[in-house]
Amino acid sequence: MNDIDTPSKAALSVVSGDMYDWSDMVGGGPLPRGPVLTRIAVATATGASHLLVVGPHDLELLDAVVDRAATTTIVLRTHSDAELVSERYADRAVDVVCGDLRAWTADRPADAVLALDGFGRVASIDADPADWHAIAEHLAGHTSGDSRLALVVPNPGSPLAQLRAVNPEASNENADWSFPVHDRANPRSLADASARFGGRGYTLWPDVGSPTLAAAPEACSVALAVAHGRPTDTPTLREVQPALGQALDTLGAAGAAGGWLVTRGLETTGARSSGELARPLAPSEGVTARSAETISAVVGVDRTGDETSWTAAERSWLIEAMHDSARRDASGLRHHVRRLRDAVADAPERWCGLQVDEIGLDAGHVVPVHESTVKLGESADEILLGLLDELAAYLCVAGWRHPWPAGRGRDELTVLLAATIDVAVTPADVYQVRRRRESALSSTGMTPVVAGRHAPQEADPSELRKLMDENEALRGQVTWFKQQMRQRQTMTHEVRTAARRDVAALNDRIKELEDQLSARQAPAVNRVAKRASSVPGRARSGFGRVPGARRAARLLRRVLRAIRRVAKR
């Protein structure tokens, strides 16, 4: 092959840790892709002087970002992937590095970093296991302090990730899954990952490969997470909504998410109308200012792939408003159901292709968040009943408390919702509409809202009698335990009273012995004191019997008196 036939390539350099006979982009696991991640990637790369892309990414996502920065460096660990990317961007300002990220040193810092595949495929499998914190520290050395960042971190504790790891053919005794054990390959939580880079955290739903929702934890509610957490990969996983709702109540939106997104240096906004949604710039528009792209607290896509950020203060999702009303009283929810009925009756063609989680409230008016040509119902009544049935499914799935008497399942709750607007239907009517709606959804690739359907059943008298007998036996056991406790309490009181009585008797005996001891010691002490007091008198009388002692004493007294007189003069 001559030089003319040789395809040109982007600058390709090789560092240690490069891998042969392996590809992460062809035949490997899923790569980061989709409108949500592309939206984040474009916002991160726009206006950067040096963009650093870490790990494998979907080629369409790379096409959207390589022209946003003045220069781009892509680090891949396999030769086949590096050659593929270098040939694809031969005429672009793109440098490709092949090898272990930990062995690469940049010649100049990057002011924008994309790591939407995380750190799972940046290290050679022949080297030591990848340490997330060590790779993060190494990557921080190649960035400036004010550089922008978009990093995805998988969450191995996600309930959806755990259910996807279960072998459907395994029995309950040898199910091939267990609770994840934390290792150094991933941080423990979104807070840890965000603090490591000093960035803003988002939750990704339902997974990290191609999420349909990226939302800040405080903006991701149960309804929004369940709506975007419906799995679509295998039919066996379409019954996980109750488990997902329970996990959300237990772990929270961040703990139950499929993964996390850490951003830094991106401007955020919370109020944008559908016409103001930021769009990806065309390559011909070139590199714009760094402040051209903003990211809202909620970035999502609907079934058609259009962005559905609905975060303005005067806007909300319909299911969110109904959720809040259902927790308080029935009047607010009945008001929203009436609004939905009036909107569907006015223009059924606008609502026939929507699901209830794709409807918003704008300034008190029920509005569709996108246009759809899918046919999920013929008449306005059928469309409305289908939407009410999906709302009932959300109420059952997420475990929301509602003020009506407890029904037996989704069918009865749908009947109650219809009754709030004076529409009389039966569970059989609801089931027929649901069956036609789910068939139309499946044929168009959309996912039905799944909730268990419990058929009404009459109570068995024998089962009731059995339960009553068990209840009576339990009451007898409780009575026996109470009696035993009373006896033990009585015995304890008697023991304490006897102990107090014995202590008082001992104290009396001790005082009596002390008094006897004092009485015995008193005569001996008195005799000693009497003898001690008579010692001076006996000594004087004995000294007076000595011959000349009295005369000497008188002489001595005269001398002392003479000395005193002389001293006074």
Side-chain angles (χ1 to χ4, degrees), residues 341-425:
R341 178 198 59 186
D342 296 339
V344 172
D346 292 340
E349 65 279 0
R350 297 187 62 192
W351 307 91
C352 62
L354 298 178
Q355 293 182 269
V356 73
D357 61 315
E358 299 171 333
I359 301 175
L361 285 175
D362 188 359
H365 298 285
V366 180
V367 295
V369 297
H370 69 91
E371 300 296 334
S372 177
T373 58
V374 181
K375 298 296 182 182
L376 300 180
E378 297 296 336
S379 63
D381 294 338
E382 183 178 353
I383 296 171
L384 176 62
L385 187 58
L387 294 175
L388 293 180
D389 179 58
E390 288 186 351
L391 172 62
Y394 277 110
L395 291 172
C396 295
V397 163
W400 297 340
R401 297 178 181 178
H402 51 84
W404 304 291
R408 294 183 180 273
R410 174 179 176 179
D411 297 342
E412 287 72 16
L413 187 54
T414 305
V415 172
L416 287 174
L417 288 173
T420 60
I421 54 174
D422 300 329
V423 175
V425 295

Side-chain angles (χ1 to χ4, degrees), residues 60 62 92 104 119 122 127 139 188 193 223 233 263 272 290 297 337 358 419 426 438 441 533 567:
E60 293 183 359
L62 291 178
R92 314 281 184 88
W104 172 70
F119 297 153
V122 299
L139 183 62
R188 293 181 178 272
D233 45 4
T263 63
R272 291 187 298 165
R290 288 178 61 98
V337 173
E358 299 171 333
T426 63
E438 290 181 351
L441 287 169
S533 61

Side-chain angles (χ1 to χ4, degrees), residues 178-201:
S178 61
F179 192 81
V181 178
H182 174 70
D183 55 13
R184 299 288 294 182
N186 290 301
R188 293 181 178 272
S189 63
L190 173 60
D192 294 341
S194 300
R196 181 63 182 81
F197 289 97
R200 175 187 176 95

Side-chain angles (χ1 to χ4, degrees), residues 40 44 147-153 190-204 214-220 260-271 294-299 311:
I40 302 293
T44 304
S147 62
R148 287 181 290 190
L149 171 74
L151 169 66
V152 167
V153 181
L190 173 60
D192 294 341
S194 300
R196 181 63 182 81
F197 289 97
R200 175 187 176 95
Y202 288 80
T203 58
L204 298 179
E218 62 273 10
C220 185
W260 307 309
L261 171 67
V262 179
T263 63
R264 185 180 65 189
L266 299 181
E267 293 187 4
T268 58
T269 179
T294 57
I295 298 296
S296 61
V298 177
V299 179
T311 57

Side-chain angles (χ1 to χ4, degrees), residues 67-88:
D67 288 330
R68 304 288 173 155
T71 60
T72 302
T73 301
I74 304 176
V75 182
L76 301 168
R77 63 178 181 176
T78 68
H79 277 274
S80 58
D81 296 341
E83 292 178 355
L84 175 63
V85 173
S86 63
E87 292 177 0
R88 188 179 184 90

Side-chain angles (χ1 to χ4, degrees), residues 12 21 36 38 113 167 182 193 220 223 283 288 295 317 409 460 466 502 533 547:
L12 175 60
D21 301 328
V36 172
T38 302
V113 178
N167 183 6
H182 174 70
C220 185
T288 60
I295 298 296
W317 297 93
D460 189 355
K466 182 179 178 181
D502 294 341
S533 61

